[in-house]
Amino acid sequence: IVKKEDALNSRKGEFCPVVADDNGSTVYFTSSRDNLTTGLKASKITGIRNNDIFIAKKNNAGKWETPTPLPAEINTEYDEGSCCFSPDGKTMFFTQCRTLPGVTLGAEIYYTQRAGGEWTAPKKVVIINDSSKSIAHPAMSPDNKYLYFVSDMRGGYGGKDIWRSLRKSDSEWGLPENLGSDINTDGDEMFPFFK
């Protein structure tokens, strides 16, 4: 039976939930709900408020507490969302869509690491050197070796395809590899994930 979780939903959009612990008591998700830290800047793509990443936890009674936004180092004035975690839960990858006047920028993936209970300042994941192409919707493989993502870079089968890149270190990634025509179509593939 599928039912709406009122404590996690608002009148705005919520999507891309990620359960962040083994017992299902912590969830991160993307939302366009109000966030006083980052203001009410609207997306030039959707016309609605830019998305941010929120976290919600269950209390001792098993009820969801009010979701809270991640800190301003992660939730900026730009559009953030679609996060995932390394298998040990210490690294979070997320999408950010920056906008700069007169510049064509694609979506970008950033990562942040947990240190002393806090997330560090995010750093960009550099897979290709073409900032006009989108690299978005990260999904880390369970063995922590490959970062799967969506991109409109050259060499795909459609508008947006699912690709992967070998993790060489926190700051170094291998050449992107398209997952091929068994996965990708002439349409758009989006939001890969691992269970």
Side-chain angles (χ1 to χ4, degrees), residues 1 69 82 90 96 108 110 125 143 151 163 168 178-181 185:
I1 297 173
S82 186
K90 294 180 180 177
Q96 184 180 83
E108 301 166 316
Y110 285 78
V125 172
D143 60 8
S151 181
W163 301 69
K168 296 182 176 180
N178 189 286
L179 295 193
S181 59
T185 68

Side-chain angles (χ1 to χ4, degrees), residues 81-180:
S82 186
C83 67
C84 75
F85 295 87
S86 60
D88 63 7
K90 294 180 180 177
T91 304
M92 179 174 69
F93 298 87
F94 64 95
T95 303
Q96 184 180 83
C97 301
R98 294 185 300 137
T99 55
L100 298 174
V103 180
T104 300
L105 293 173
E108 301 166 316
I109 295 175
Y110 285 78
Y111 73 95
T112 176
Q113 296 174 313
R114 188 179 289 282
E118 302 292 333
W119 293 108
T120 61
K123 296 179 181 176
K124 184 178 171 183
V125 172
V126 179
I127 294 175
I128 61 172
N129 288 318
D130 185 349
S131 62
S132 69
K133 298 297 180 186
S134 285
I135 305 284
H137 308 168
M140 180 55 73
S141 64
D143 60 8
N144 207 31
K145 289 184 178 179
Y146 287 94
L147 181 66
Y148 288 74
F149 57 91
V150 171
S151 181
D152 59 354
M153 72 176 82
R154 240 179 238 178
Y157 294 85
K160 292 179 178 66
D161 281 6
I162 299 176
W163 301 69
R164 72 177 187 174
S165 184
L166 178 67
R167 181 180 197 158
K168 296 182 176 180
S169 70
D170 284 343
S171 59
E172 189 178 0
W173 299 86
L175 292 174
E177 173 189 354
N178 189 286
L179 295 193

Side-chain angles (χ1 to χ4, degrees), residues 42-48 50 79 97 99 105:
S43 166
K44 292 184 178 181
I45 297 170
T46 65
I48 62 172
N50 279 333
D79 209 351
C97 301
T99 55
L105 293 173

Side-chain angles (χ1 to χ4, degrees), residues 35-97:
N35 179 356
L36 298 179
T37 304
T38 56
L40 301 173
K41 188 173 182 182
S43 166
K44 292 184 178 181
I45 297 170
T46 65
I48 62 172
R49 188 195 170 285
N50 279 333
N51 293 293
D52 285 325
I53 302 170
F54 287 75
I55 181 174
K57 295 183 178 184
K58 284 185 178 178
N59 60 25
N60 291 336
K63 301 290 185 184
W64 288 107
E65 296 177 346
T66 302
T68 58
L70 294 188
E73 292 82 12
I74 295 170
N75 286 329
T76 68
E77 64 180 295
Y78 304 118
D79 209 351
E80 285 90 22
S82 186
C83 67
C84 75
F85 295 87
S86 60
D88 63 7
K90 294 180 180 177
T91 304
M92 179 174 69
F93 298 87
F94 64 95
T95 303
Q96 184 180 83
C97 301

